């Protein structure tokens, strides 16, 4: 594998300011997962009972059997938990996004009616609340298409957002291809929405959360009490709000389940958190679709530099001159495991430097000798590369007095005679006086030490060149 698909870079060290409406410093978005009636159950044609996210510690699937206790726990979410949460959010004037399992929505006409009356967004949570990791792409694709059809039939309109949750490696690509959704949320990899390319199409991703999520009431090392949930939500909010106050506004998702947070011993923690953020200025509490609309309008997709998608010919043509007259460095770098993390100056520099550092001493010496003398005969004859010409000019080496030029020629001759390669320094880091000072000091170094210093300067020159190119 020479092209690595995972993206460890994202927005990098300088994420964009979200620019939330009204200058909000944070967007807090509440998601209510409606899964009751869509979980694994032989009544639904599944092979076994449900075993995920319930009050039953250590639950396992029961093949070929109904699990009465499990069913009644899920039933509680529909019968009591949903309505408790409905009263809480409507009373607070906060609209939520529902991740609605299509088959569960079809079994909940009153709940769907209440969601619509409250102007809640009903996004799709798939056809059934089951695990898709072992499904073929064709089988999962068929379920996505049926989920959209059934959702439209039950809700009255197609979903504009998608979240499978118990997803496969194919889920995001399939949902983008089939649904044409305004956003997909089957990732947990950022605090901001972002655009990605899927089969040539720009797809908005609005990452979800598994940490600010009441599911941790039903997982090992999760929340044991409402106070823990409340504290964790407040700490998350405070950290993100501070970033927003500093000009880097973010998004906070809060994941909820009717059968979990809907219990009276837990809902008070959620109520306190809603009251907590209500006492702070600059908090936006949108539905997920409003975040999507804002991002489409304020941060539309832009063409991205993708070094990892270049052909060998284009890669070498673009980066072959970064190491002076040494295109072989770029040729070998192309064969490394490149990915989205390399689509920046730091990434390409890392790849090129790895090749240079692992090259033989003779090859590295060849790179050093490919560099021109500073203010030497090639410069006078205007035979430097465009990069070297610009770099030497930036330090004023193209406008020397006769005395200065004579001094550089004297130092060049002495340096090459002693070390066997030209004096190399990243001239953009220094002025003319500083260069002369380093030149004179390094002339006295041992050749082995100076070889290492020169190689590091070659890497520094490469980095500065890449920063101008990318």
């Amino acid at each position: 594998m020479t092209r690595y698909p995972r993206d460890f870079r994202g927005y990098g060290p300088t994420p964009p300011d979200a620019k939330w409406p009204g200058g909000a410093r944070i967007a807090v978005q509440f998601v209510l997962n409606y899964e009751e009636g869509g979980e694994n159950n032989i009544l639904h044609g599944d092979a076994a009972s449900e075993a995920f996210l319930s009050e039953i510690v250590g639950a396992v699937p029961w093949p070929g059997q109904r699990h009465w206790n499990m069913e009644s726990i899920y039933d509680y979410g529909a019968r009591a938990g949903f309505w408790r949460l409905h009263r809480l959010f409507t009373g607070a004037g906060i609209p939520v996004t529902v991740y609605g399992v299509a088959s569960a929505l079809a079994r909940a006409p009153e709940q769907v009616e209440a969601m619509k009356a409250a102007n809640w967004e009903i996004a799709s949570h798939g056809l059934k609340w089951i695990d898709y990791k072992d499904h073929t792409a064709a089988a999962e694709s068929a379920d996505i298409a049926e989920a959209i059809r059934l959702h439209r039939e039950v809700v009255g309109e197609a979903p504009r957002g998608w979240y499978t949750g118990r997803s496969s490696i194919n889920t995001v690509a399939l949902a983008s291809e089939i649904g044409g959704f305004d956003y997909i949320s089957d990732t947990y990899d950022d605090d901001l929405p972002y655009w990605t390319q899927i089969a040539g199409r720009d797809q908005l991703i609005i990452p979800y959360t598994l940490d600010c999520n009441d599911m941790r009431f039903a997982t090992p090392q999760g929340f044991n009490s409402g106070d823990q949930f409340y504290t964790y939500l407040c700490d998350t909010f405070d950290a993100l709000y501070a970033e927003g106050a500093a000009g880097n506004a973010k998004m906070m998702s809060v994941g909820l389940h009717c059968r979990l947070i809907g219990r009276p011993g837990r809902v008070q923690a959620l109520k306190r958190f809603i009251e907590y953020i209500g006492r702070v200025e600059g908090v936006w509490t949108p539905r997920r679709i409003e975040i999507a609309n804002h991002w489409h309008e304020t941060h539309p997709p832009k063409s991205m530099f993708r070094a990892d998608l270049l052909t060998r010919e284009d890669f070498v043509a673009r980066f072959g001159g970064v190491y002076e007259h040494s295109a072989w460095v770029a040729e070998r770098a192309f064969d490394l495991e490149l990915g989205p993390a390399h689509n920046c100056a730091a990434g390409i520099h890392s790849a090129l430097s790895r090749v240079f550092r692992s090259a033989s001493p003779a090859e590295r010496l060849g790179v050093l000798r490919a560099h021109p003398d500073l203010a030497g005969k090639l410069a006078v004859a205007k035979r430097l590369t465009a990069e070297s010409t610009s770099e030497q000019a930036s330090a004023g080496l193209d406008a020397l007095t006769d005395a200065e030029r004579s001094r550089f020629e004297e130092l060049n001759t002495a340096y090459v005679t002693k070390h066997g390669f030209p004096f190399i320094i990243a001239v953009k880091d220094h002025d003319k006086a500083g260069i002369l000072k380093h030149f004179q000091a390094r002339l006295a170094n041992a050749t082995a030490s100076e070889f290492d210093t020169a190689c590091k300067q070659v890497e520094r020159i490469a980095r500065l060149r890449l920063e101008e190119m990318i």
Side-chain angles (χ1 to χ4, degrees), residues 186-202:
D186 273 295
T187 71
Y188 314 95
D189 53 3
D190 215 300
D191 299 310
L192 286 173
Y194 62 88
W195 292 97
T196 189
Q197 278 266 324
I198 299 177
R201 176 179 182 271
D202 291 313

Side-chain angles (χ1 to χ4, degrees), residues 1 38 45 48 56 58 70 72 102 174 226 230 268 279 309 322 374 401 405 421 440 451:
M1 179 172 62
I56 302 173
M70 182 65 72
S72 65
L174 291 174
Y230 170 73
Q268 288 298 98
R279 294 191 292 268
L309 298 184
V322 172
L374 290 184
T401 65
R405 183 173 293 105
F421 49 84
Q440 292 166 151
F451 181 85

Side-chain angles (χ1 to χ4, degrees), residues 21 31-32 57 74 97 145 155 169 223 257 271 280 310 326 329 337 418 427 458 465:
V31 170
L32 180 59
V57 178
Y74 270 76
T97 290
V155 177
I169 197 68
F223 303 123
H257 299 75
K271 181 174 183 292
V280 182
L310 293 176
S326 302
V329 177
E337 183 190 85
K418 178 175 181 179
V427 295
V458 165
R465 289 178 174 179

Side-chain angles (χ1 to χ4, degrees), residues 17-270:
D17 182 357
K19 299 180 180 177
W20 298 130
R25 296 175 178 179
I26 187 173
V28 180
Q29 203 287 302
F30 295 92
V31 170
L32 180 59
N33 293 265
Y34 195 89
E35 300 155 351
E36 290 74 13
E39 79 279 8
N40 282 285
N41 193 314
I42 63 171
L43 292 175
H44 308 156
D46 302 309
S49 63
E50 186 56 71
F52 193 42
L53 296 188
S54 79
E55 306 296 334
I56 302 173
V57 178
V60 295
W62 289 8
Q65 298 182 61
R66 292 176 63 186
H67 192 316
W68 185 257
N69 290 348
M70 182 65 72
E71 288 183 24
S72 65
I73 289 171
Y74 270 76
D75 292 352
Y76 182 91
R79 293 162 58 109
F82 171 82
W83 297 110
R84 183 169 287 120
L85 295 170
H86 184 268
R87 290 190 294 271
L88 174 61
F89 282 110
T90 55
I94 296 177
V96 307
T97 290
V98 176
Y99 285 165
V101 174
S103 55
L105 296 175
R107 298 181 174 111
E110 284 186 303
Q111 289 90 338
V112 170
E113 188 176 78
M115 295 172 195
K116 295 174 67 176
N119 196 32
W120 290 2
E121 176 198 3
I122 308 178
S124 183
H125 197 7
L127 178 63
K128 300 165 71 174
W129 176 230
I130 60 175
D131 203 326
Y132 281 92
K133 67 180 178 63
D134 295 322
H135 279 56
T136 65
E140 185 175 2
S141 176
D143 274 10
I144 291 173
E146 175 59 14
I148 297 169
R149 186 204 67 77
L150 182 57
H151 187 108
R152 184 186 292 110
E153 183 179 282
V154 171
V155 177
E157 58 186 7
R160 295 175 62 185
W162 180 272
Y163 175 72
T164 294
R166 298 162 83 171
S167 56
S168 76
I169 197 68
N170 301 310
T171 298
V172 172
L174 291 174
S176 179
E177 175 186 351
I178 298 166
F181 295 106
D182 290 351
Y183 70 90
I184 293 172
S185 287
D186 273 295
T187 71
Y188 314 95
D189 53 3
D190 215 300
D191 299 310
L192 286 173
Y194 62 88
W195 292 97
T196 189
Q197 278 266 324
I198 299 177
R201 176 179 182 271
D202 291 313
Q203 177 63 60
L204 181 64
I205 304 295
I206 302 183
Y208 188 45
T209 179
L210 295 182
D211 66 318
C212 292
N213 195 309
D214 68 355
M215 67 177 286
R216 295 188 62 189
F217 282 113
T219 59
Q221 294 185 330
F223 303 123
N224 291 323
S225 69
D227 287 345
Q228 292 177 342
F229 185 48
Y230 170 73
T231 299
Y232 192 86
L233 293 182
C234 289
D235 285 347
T236 302
F237 174 86
D238 290 346
L240 295 177
Y241 187 87
E243 292 181 15
N248 232 331
K250 299 294 197 314
M251 173 188 73
M252 175 182 177
S253 296
V254 180
L256 307 168
H257 299 75
C258 301
R259 63 192 176 279
L260 296 177
I261 199 67
R263 292 282 175 175
R266 297 175 182 142
V267 76
Q268 288 298 98
L270 178 60

